[in-house]
Amino acid sequence: DEDDDDDNQEEEVEYEFDDEYGGDNDEYDSDMNSSDEEGEGKEKKISLDSTGSNVKSLSLEQVEKWQDVARTNLTPASLKKILFSFWAVCLTGKRKNLLEGKSEKQKIPVIAEGKVFVSIVQFCTTELPDIFDRILSIDTSVKSGSFTLPMSSSKWKHLRATVKKYLKLLSILFQDLYLSDEEMQRFLLQHVERIAPYVVCHKGFGKGFLKMLLRLWSGSSSNTIRISSFLAMRRIAMSRKFPFLELCLKGLYLTFARSTKVVTWRTIEAVTIMRNCIVELCGIDVIVTYQHAFVFLRQLAVHLRNALTAKTKDSYRKVYNWQYICCLEVWVAMICSFPNEAELLPLSYPISQIVLGTAKLVPTSRYIPLRLHCCRMATSLCASTHSYLPVPPS
C-alpha cells in the first residue's frame, strides 16, 4: 500500500484528540498505511505478461475481439490480453511512471482513439467483475445484496493473483479521479461499490481505496459525488467488518472534524450530509460504534472539563467553535437515530451532560446562538430517549 504524500501534508486540526489517537490522528494514519500479514500492500510494480507487447497501438477491432473471447470462452490467455489493454489505459498521460513492465525495452501500446479508451474502460469496469463472479461461481453484485467474499470460493486461489493485478491497475486509474469530471467520478465510484467484495480480500488495496474515497467524500463540491463515495465505503465496511468497519468509522469522523472548522450557509448542506453518513454507518454494528463513540465523547468531555477548570479564553475557544459543536451533533444524532439499541443507550447520559455543560459554560448574550444549538440537541435527546433534561435556563 503506497503512502500518499498529500495526506502527510494536511493541515493539522485545531480540535486535538488525546494521546490515545494522537493529536494528528497518528494511530488512524498508521492503520491506513499498514500492510496486511500477506504483504499485499508492499507490491509497487506490476509485471504483466508480454502478450501483445509487440503491438505498437491498440485498435478498436482488436480490443473488441479480445473482449468477445473473454465473454464466450474465457481462458487465462484472453484474460491477460484484457488486463494488458487495461494496463495501456492506466499508462495514459502522467501514469506512466507508476507502472513498470518486465523490462525497460518493453513497448507500451498507444491508445490513439478515444473509442478504444472508452471501450476498454467500460468493459473492465462493467463486465470484468461479472466474469470474475462467473469463474468463482458466486454473485457479488450490488443488486444481489450478497456479501459473499470471493476468498470463500475454492477457485479463489487460481484467480487471486489476477484480481490483485486488476485492483492495482484500478487504484492507479483512481489516482487522478478528483481531477476528473463529475460524470466520470460517479461512474467509477459506482464501480468501486460493485467490486467492494474483491477489494476487501486484499487489505492493502482496501485501505488505499478508503483513503481516496475519503478525499472525495470530504473534498468534492458535489453532494452526488459525496453520497456515491459514502455508498462505496459503506459496502466495503459491510463486506468485511474487520478491520474495514473500524477504519471507515474512524476515517469518516476524523475527516468530518477536519472539514467543519468553519461552517457557513454555503457549507451547511454538505456538513449535514456528512453527519448523516456517519450516523448511518454507526448502525451497521452498534457494539463497534459504542467503543469508538465512547472514546470520541471522552475527548469532548476532556475539552469541556479543561474549560471549566482553567476558565481562560483559549480553553473556552476549544469548546465554543463550530468544530466542537458539529462533532457533538454527530453523537446526538446517533442516539436519536437508534434510541432502542440497548448497547448505545448508556451513552445518552454523558452526551446530555456534555450538551448542558457546553450551554452553561459562558452564560453571556454573545453566545445565545450557540446555546440555541445546545437547546435543540437537548430537546432531540428528550424526545428520542423519553427522558427529561433541564433545557430552560435555571
Side-chain angles (χ1 to χ4, degrees), residues 275-304:
R275 181 177 67 240
N276 293 339
C277 290
I278 298 174
V279 173
E280 183 174 345
L281 195 69
C282 289
I284 295 178
D285 191 327
V286 292
I287 296 178
V288 174
T289 298
Y290 174 86
Q291 296 171 351
H292 293 290
F294 181 86
V295 173
F296 290 124
L297 282 171
R298 180 178 178 273
Q299 311 310 314
L300 298 175
V302 167
H303 284 287
L304 179 60

Side-chain angles (χ1 to χ4, degrees), residues 290-322:
Y290 174 86
Q291 296 171 351
H292 293 290
F294 181 86
V295 173
F296 290 124
L297 282 171
R298 180 178 178 273
Q299 311 310 314
L300 298 175
V302 167
H303 284 287
L304 179 60
R305 183 191 62 188
N306 292 339
L308 291 170
T309 304
K311 295 182 179 181
T312 61
K313 289 184 179 181
D314 290 338
S315 62
Y316 290 155
R317 288 196 187 105
K318 289 185 178 181
V319 176
Y320 277 15
N321 58 73
W322 276 114

Side-chain angles (χ1 to χ4, degrees), residues 367-379:
Y367 296 107
I368 287 179
L370 185 144
R371 286 202 290 277
L372 290 176
H373 279 283
C374 294
C375 289
R376 177 173 52 81
M377 287 187 281
T379 53

Side-chain angles (χ1 to χ4, degrees), residues 162-176:
T162 301
V163 172
K164 188 174 181 180
K165 291 178 180 179
Y166 171 71
L167 293 176
K168 178 64 177 178
L169 292 170
L170 191 65
S171 66
I172 293 172
L173 188 64
F174 267 72
Q175 290 293 330
D176 297 332

Side-chain angles (χ1 to χ4, degrees), residues 137-205:
S137 301
I138 59 175
D139 186 5
T140 61
S141 62
V142 178
K143 293 182 179 180
S144 68
S146 173
F147 295 102
T148 303
L149 291 180
M151 64 173 62
S152 62
S153 173
S154 59
K155 302 177 183 178
W156 171 246
K157 59 183 179 181
H158 303 295
L159 194 63
R160 181 179 177 276
T162 301
V163 172
K164 188 174 181 180
K165 291 178 180 179
Y166 171 71
L167 293 176
K168 178 64 177 178
L169 292 170
L170 191 65
S171 66
I172 293 172
L173 188 64
F174 267 72
Q175 290 293 330
D176 297 332
L177 182 59
Y178 64 98
L179 298 176
S180 306
D181 58 276
E182 183 177 340
E183 185 177 355
M184 177 61 75
Q185 288 180 344
R186 185 168 61 251
F187 174 76
L188 291 178
L189 287 172
Q190 290 174 351
H191 175 60
V192 173
E193 184 181 4
R194 165 67 180 88
I195 64 167
Y198 288 94
V199 171
V200 298
C201 290
H202 300 274
K203 293 182 182 179
F205 292 122

Side-chain angles (χ1 to χ4, degrees), residues 107-147:
K107 296 181 180 180
I108 300 170
V110 177
I111 300 178
E113 299 181 19
K115 293 181 180 179
V116 180
F117 185 95
V118 173
S119 177
I120 295 173
V121 172
Q122 285 184 342
F123 181 84
C124 292
T125 55
T126 59
E127 298 188 46
L128 199 55
D130 295 332
I131 293 176
F132 291 156
D133 285 356
R134 195 163 68 245
I135 295 174
L136 299 175
S137 301
I138 59 175
D139 186 5
T140 61
S141 62
V142 178
K143 293 182 179 180
S144 68
S146 173
F147 295 102

